[in-house]
């Protein structure tokens, strides 16, 4: 079957490295797969996971991103990769009941957005973000189980976490099936010893 992630990658992100996935892209997905279920995590596959570990391809620049002297102006002008548009982030927290968003790029925001509006929009509404995901081309367009296992930390703004997706969630679907959904799974996220449950899209 056709996967939403593949369509966004082929038609949009490869043509524009600074692309921000839009509300229209989400509407296109919903036309094919139905409404986003409550409690969903939105995973966006741009194709950038395939570029890693080639740093020049992944970041769109030969600049040393680990350089301690690098500032956000350099980030937005010299580094190029796609992400989520500010408009889509606002739409997701305003008109949807999601728990988080994940991308296969280095940031939820496209690199050109040095003020990180997507980060602020999601975090102000207590929605988490997963970045640098890989193998999203193997995740179904709708329906799976995602588990994230970050270590316990205090006072940090982000951390490395192990993310696992179980693509066979049919037993959960049988428990939660509704006419408007093709296949619903559940999200199990461990975040500082808190459990959050939901569907994955």
């Amino acid at each position: 079957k056709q996967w939403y992630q593949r369509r966004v990658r082929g038609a949009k992100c490869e043509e524009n490295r600074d692309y921000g996935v839009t509300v229209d892209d989400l509407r296109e997905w919903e036309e094919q797969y139905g409404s986003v279920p409550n409690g969903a995590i939105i995973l966006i596959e741009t194709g950038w996971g395939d570029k890693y570990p080639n740093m020049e391809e992944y970041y769109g620049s030969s600049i040393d991103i680990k350089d301690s002297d690098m500032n956000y102006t350099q980030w937005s002008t010299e580094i190029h990769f796609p992400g989520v548009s500010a408009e889509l982030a606002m739409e997701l927290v305003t008109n949807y009941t999601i728990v988080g968003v994940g991308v296969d790029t280095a940031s939820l925001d496209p690199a050109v957005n040095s003020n990180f509006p997507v980060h602020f929009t999601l975090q102000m509404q207590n929605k988490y973000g997963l970045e640098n995901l890989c193998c999203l081309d193997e995740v179904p367009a709708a329906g799976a189980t995602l588990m994230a296992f970050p270590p316990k930390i205090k006072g940090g703004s982000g951390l490395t976490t192990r993310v696992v997706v179980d693509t066979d969630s049919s037993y959960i679907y049988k428990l939660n099936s509704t006419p408007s959904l093709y296949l619903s799974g559940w999200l199990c996220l461990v975040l500082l010893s808190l459990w959050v449950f939901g569907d994955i899209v």
Side-chain angles (χ1 to χ4, degrees), residues 42 68 70 74 94 97 101 118 122 146 151 158 172:
I42 307 293
S68 60
M70 187 176 128
Q74 286 178 289
T94 302
T97 308
V101 177
V118 175
L122 295 177
L146 183 146
I172 297 295

Side-chain angles (χ1 to χ4, degrees), residues 6 9 14 45-54 57-58 104 133-137:
R6 287 288 184 181
R9 165 165 56 181
E14 286 293 346
E45 195 248 351
T46 67
W48 253 240
D50 295 343
K51 300 180 186 300
Y52 189 87
N54 185 323
E57 280 292 308
Y58 192 64
D104 61 350
L133 297 175
C134 66
C135 306
L136 291 187
D137 58 320

Side-chain angles (χ1 to χ4, degrees), residues 23-184:
V23 174
D24 287 342
D25 292 323
L26 178 61
R27 296 285 183 267
E28 181 185 343
W29 184 91
E30 289 185 308
E31 287 177 5
Q32 183 170 1
Y33 298 103
S35 299
V36 173
N38 291 338
I41 174 173
I42 307 293
L43 297 183
I44 297 175
E45 195 248 351
T46 67
W48 253 240
D50 295 343
K51 300 180 186 300
Y52 189 87
N54 185 323
M55 293 294 98
E56 189 166 346
E57 280 292 308
Y58 192 64
Y59 289 100
S61 173
S62 59
I63 191 173
D64 181 6
I65 60 133
K66 296 181 180 179
D67 186 348
S68 60
D69 293 328
M70 187 176 128
N71 58 49
Y72 288 131
T73 300
Q74 286 178 289
W75 177 277
S76 63
T77 58
E78 300 186 42
I79 294 179
H80 301 276
F81 54 77
V84 180
S85 69
E87 293 76 15
L88 177 56
M90 184 60 68
E91 174 73 9
L92 289 173
V93 300
T94 302
N95 296 316
Y96 292 85
T97 308
I98 65 164
V99 295
V101 177
V103 295
D104 61 350
T105 63
S107 174
L108 293 168
D109 288 275
V112 294
N113 290 346
S114 60
N115 57 346
F116 304 108
V118 175
H119 282 76
F120 284 105
T121 297
L122 295 177
Q123 292 169 11
M124 288 294 288
Q125 298 298 321
N126 200 30
K127 314 299 181 185
Y128 64 86
L130 299 174
E131 300 169 337
N132 295 297
L133 297 175
C134 66
C135 306
L136 291 187
D137 58 320
E138 299 180 27
V139 177
T145 301
L146 183 146
M147 293 163 277
F149 306 103
K152 294 181 179 180
I153 64 167
K154 183 177 181 179
S157 62
L159 70 161
T160 301
T161 185
R162 186 180 300 274
V163 178
V164 179
V165 174
D166 177 3
T167 59
D168 182 10
S169 299
S170 57
Y171 65 102
I172 297 295
Y173 171 69
K174 293 175 182 177
L175 295 176
N176 298 311
S177 178
T178 65
S180 63
L181 303 182
Y182 280 80
L183 177 62
S184 293

Side-chain angles (χ1 to χ4, degrees), residues 186-199:
W186 55 275
L187 163 74
C188 176
L189 172 71
V190 182
L191 180 58
L192 304 181
S193 78
L194 297 178
W195 289 89
V196 182
F197 294 90
D199 294 301

